[in-house]
Amino acid sequence: MQIYLPIAEVSVSLILLLGLGTLVGILSGMFGVGGGFLITPLLFFMGIPPAVAVATGANQIVASSVSGVMAHLKRRTVDLKMGTVLLVGGLFGSAIGVYIFNFLKTQGQVDLLVKICYVVFLGIIGGLMFYESVKSMMKSRAGKRGKRHVHVWVHGLPFKMRFRASGLYISAIPPLLVGAAVGILAAIMGVGGGFIMVPAMIYLLGMPTKVVIGTSLFQIIFVTAFTTLLHAVSTQTVDIVLALALILGGVVGAQIGSVIGAKLKAEQLRILLASLVLAVCFKLALDLFLTPDELYILAEFGS
């Protein structure tokens, strides 16, 4: 069944969109990521213009993240205080990101920038995640237990706060900066930023893994909602028909993912996610270098 997307100006399969939303929702519940790092490139592959994919993908991230957070709140695995500090940084970052996005859109360079950002960030994050997961599995088989957290220079910064749910007493500056970086990425790349935030919360902030996923999803909800609002007002690239189809699948998928994630080993989940990230990165990189099927786009003069 084909449906027409008025803002994207293309027709796509409704079943495919629902399946895509469900898949990303499952990933959201399993890993604590919004899923934008996957859903936005997959929308590219379906022929959705990058500007529309970035702005609309954030809608689905909000829905799947809300669904995932509800499951984690029941288990009391959300640090609301840490999530609020991350959120403050994220709102500032998303405003900056939308400004950058608008500027590049007027210059006609936004599509290329989005794809290059995806290739760079997915390649780096996927590679590091895969390496760390393999190393953790080898240590586990050898019977060694690595340190959960090592103090680095960021923990000597001022403005310290106590985060009881995470068992931390650290400066508020690193969470604010992490939140701001994720906010910028959310606006430019259409991602929740969980694929960067989750490793940062574990290795930089030293948060225990059990509260990282729920806290990440909590912050993602508000940053992506704010980003979507800014895009809808300033760029008019949010396709409501596309968003609704993705949301329907995402809400169901997030509940399934939270159940699956609770039953599987963390190292196995990270390797699976890293492999998926690297596969998407490779496909996007290939598309940047291959000659497109249609070299020219015909349009009426003055349009």
Side-chain angles (χ1 to χ4, degrees):
M1 177 182 174
Q2 296 283 318
I3 60 169
Y4 180 72
L5 307 177
I7 303 299
E9 297 181 337
V10 294
S11 294
V12 295
S13 169
L14 177 60
I15 302 301
L16 186 59
L17 286 180
L18 290 173
L20 179 58
T22 302
L23 171 63
V24 174
I26 290 173
L27 292 177
S28 176
M30 288 173 65
F31 303 111
V33 297
F37 73 93
L38 179 63
I39 199 167
T40 308
L42 289 178
L43 289 175
F44 296 166
F45 302 154
M46 292 172 62
I48 307 297
V52 177
V54 166
T56 307
N59 286 271
Q60 192 273 348
I61 297 169
V62 174
S64 59
S65 297
V66 168
S67 182
V69 161
M70 297 303 292
H72 284 281
L73 283 172
K74 292 178 182 178
R75 302 191 192 107
R76 298 183 179 179
T77 53
V78 181
D79 189 332
L80 294 176
K81 188 174 182 180
M82 176 65 79
T84 302
V85 175
L86 291 166
L87 173 60
V88 171
L91 294 178
F92 280 107
S94 60
I96 295 171
V98 168
Y99 174 80
I100 296 172
F101 187 92
N102 286 339
F103 174 75
L104 291 169
K105 191 167 183 287
T106 60
Q107 302 299 313
Q109 299 297 321
V110 69
D111 290 3
L112 178 62
L113 173 75
V114 169
K115 290 184 178 180
I116 290 175
C117 282
Y118 265 99
V119 171
V120 172
F121 278 99
L122 294 185
I124 293 173
I125 297 300
L128 291 175
M129 194 183 301
F130 191 87
Y131 170 76
E132 181 66 30
S133 300
V134 171
K135 190 168 73 171
S136 296
M137 289 186 71
M138 291 176 66
K139 284 184 178 180
S140 178
R141 289 177 181 176
K144 297 179 181 179
R145 295 185 64 185
K147 293 183 179 180
R148 179 181 66 84
H149 172 52
V150 178
H151 281 269
V152 293
W153 64 271
V154 295
H155 298 95
L157 296 174
F159 307 110
K160 291 191 174 183
M161 296 178 66
R162 192 173 301 279
F163 302 95
R164 298 189 184 280
S166 299
L168 296 176
Y169 180 61
I170 61 173
S171 169
I173 296 176
L176 285 171
L177 293 178
V178 169
V182 169
I184 293 173
L185 291 178
I188 295 177
M189 298 172 63
V191 298
F195 70 102
I196 290 178
M197 177 167 286
V198 170
M201 291 165 76
I202 295 173
Y203 301 114
L204 179 63
L205 304 182
M207 292 178 63
T209 306
K210 67 177 182 179
V211 299
V212 163
I213 294 177
T215 306
S216 171
L217 290 175
F218 171 79
Q219 187 264 2
I220 286 170
I221 291 170
F222 297 99
V223 170
T224 49
F226 182 63
T227 300
T228 300
L229 178 62
L230 290 179
H231 274 301
V233 172
S234 60
T235 65
Q236 292 84 47
T237 50
V238 177
D239 193 310
I240 191 64
V241 177
L242 174 60
L244 288 174
L246 295 173
I247 286 170
L248 287 175
V251 172
V252 175
Q255 295 297 317
I256 298 171
S258 63
V259 174
I260 297 173
K263 295 181 179 180
L264 298 179
K265 291 183 179 180
E267 291 83 4
Q268 295 172 337
L269 289 174
R270 287 203 299 267
I271 284 183
L272 179 62
L273 179 61
S275 301
L276 194 60
V277 168
L278 290 173
V280 173
C281 173
F282 177 76
K283 178 63 169 68
L284 280 172
L286 200 62
D287 287 347
L288 286 175
F289 290 99
L290 291 178
T291 304
D293 295 330
E294 298 179 2
L295 291 176
Y296 305 98
I297 297 176
L298 299 179
E300 293 182 8
F301 181 76
S303 61

